[in-house]
Amino acid sequence: MEGKNAGASLDSLIAAFNARVAELQELVIARNMYPGSSIADLSAVDAALKAMELQVQAIKGRLRDEAAAIPKAKRLIEASLRQKKKLQSLSIHVPSHVPERMTMLNADTISCRLHDAGNQHPSVGNLKLEGEPVAIPKEKKGRAPPPLWYISADELDSLSSYMRGRLTLEKVNAAINDMAAYAEANVQLIVAPKKKVGESLWEKALELRDIAMTEGIKGKHFFLESDIKGPNLKLDNTGKAILTVLRHLGRISEIRSGHNRVIILLKPH
């Protein structure tokens, strides 16, 4: 009985050994099926997997940060859109080109205003120049400049296509700048003493003073049709169309004074 038991144990050991050999053979065959793509060192596989896990975690963290930033980005976009609308509304009323208010007529153009004679220039207050008309009332300090009442895009669009023609908002508002410059230059001639005015402009200064005292013009800013010499407003077809539009929109009015066509700048109501 002992010999049979020993033989059975040996057979079991041989069978287990053969089974293990068969497993090893299968593993070798499986390994050698694709030798080009097999990884010799399993530790390299482990390292690669850990690196991928770290990358996935970093991506998840970045996505969380991006998701948290979305509400802030939406609020920023909404604020930007509101600011854009405000700027567009402001740009409608501002021309693209705003020249200097004062225009140089020539070398004899007036360069200063006449202040209160009693306080600033006592010697001028009693000065009577031969041929000089009765002095008009002095302007008070802080005299308002000529009105710059620009038109809006809605006002321009409200005009008929026949009246509007090819005029643009920028052209019309640039012409308003020119008209204010003409009116300011005339005010300087009106209030300046004779010694400040060149001989070539003295005759015009006298004429402007007479016009300034005319009923309907007194106390208002104005210029003459003959003052229109650009740079933006000229006596051409475009300039005449601009004047027509501005009359229609209540920015200017016209009156005759002798042989002169006087254009008065109106203030906002």
Side-chain angles (χ1 to χ4, degrees):
M1 291 294 294
E2 293 180 358
K4 290 181 180 180
N5 290 335
S9 298
L10 182 60
D11 289 339
S12 298
L13 180 62
I14 292 172
F17 182 77
N18 289 334
R20 181 60 175 166
V21 170
E23 290 177 1
L24 292 174
Q25 287 177 342
E26 291 176 358
L27 290 172
V28 170
I29 292 171
R31 180 183 178 185
N32 293 331
M33 285 178 66
Y34 302 101
S37 61
S38 61
I39 301 176
D41 190 356
L42 293 178
S43 62
V45 176
D46 184 62
L49 288 174
K50 289 182 178 180
M52 291 178 65
E53 288 177 353
L54 292 174
Q55 290 180 355
V56 170
Q57 292 177 358
I59 292 172
K60 288 182 178 180
R62 183 63 180 272
L63 289 175
R64 284 195 299 269
D65 294 340
E66 294 291 340
I70 288 176
K72 296 180 181 179
K74 287 182 177 180
R75 289 194 296 270
L76 181 60
I77 291 172
E78 291 173 357
S80 299
L81 291 175
R82 288 194 298 268
Q83 185 67 16
K84 180 181 178 181
K85 290 180 179 179
K86 290 180 181 179
L87 293 175
Q88 287 176 339
S89 177
L90 290 174
S91 66
I92 290 174
H93 302 283
V94 179
S96 59
H97 174 66
V98 182
E100 293 292 335
R101 182 182 294 278
M102 289 301 300
T103 303
M104 293 299 294
L105 297 177
N106 52 37
D108 295 326
T109 303
I110 307 307
S111 62
C112 67
R113 297 179 180 178
L114 182 63
H115 296 291
D116 183 70
N119 295 329
Q120 300 294 330
H121 300 289
S123 61
V124 177
N126 297 323
L127 182 61
K128 297 291 184 178
L129 297 175
E130 183 177 356
E132 185 174 357
V134 177
I136 63 173
K138 304 296 187 300
E139 297 284 345
K140 295 181 179 180
K141 291 184 179 180
R143 173 176 53 84
L148 283 171
W149 188 9
Y150 298 116
I151 70 168
S152 65
D154 290 339
E155 287 179 302
L156 187 61
D157 292 340
S158 69
L159 301 174
S160 64
S161 58
Y162 175 78
M163 180 179 293
R164 184 173 63 249
R166 296 184 179 179
L167 296 180
T168 64
L169 188 67
E170 290 75 15
K171 285 182 180 180
V172 178
N173 283 337
I176 291 176
N177 283 325
D178 280 5
M179 292 191 297
Y182 303 152
E184 180 69 14
N186 286 341
V187 169
Q188 297 301 317
L189 284 175
I190 290 171
V191 301
K194 184 175 182 179
K195 66 179 181 180
K196 295 285 188 176
V197 182
E199 291 296 331
S200 60
L201 292 175
W202 180 240
E203 184 176 349
K204 180 178 180 180
L206 296 178
E207 184 178 33
L208 290 174
R209 293 182 184 188
D210 290 338
I211 294 173
M213 299 302 295
T214 303
E215 187 67 28
I217 301 177
K218 186 176 181 181
K220 298 179 181 179
H221 292 89
F222 68 91
F223 64 94
L224 309 182
E225 185 180 51
S226 57
D227 294 328
I228 301 176
K229 297 177 181 178
N232 300 294
L233 180 62
K234 300 178 181 179
L235 281 178
D236 52 14
N237 291 334
T238 300
K240 293 176 182 178
I242 290 174
L243 293 176
T244 299
V245 166
L246 293 178
R247 280 197 306 271
H248 181 78
L249 294 176
R251 294 320 195 258
I252 61 174
S253 63
E254 295 181 8
I255 191 172
R256 298 293 301 189
S257 178
H259 65 281
N260 291 301
R261 180 185 177 192
V262 183
I263 301 171
I264 302 170
L265 302 184
L266 302 179
K267 297 179 181 180
H269 303 300

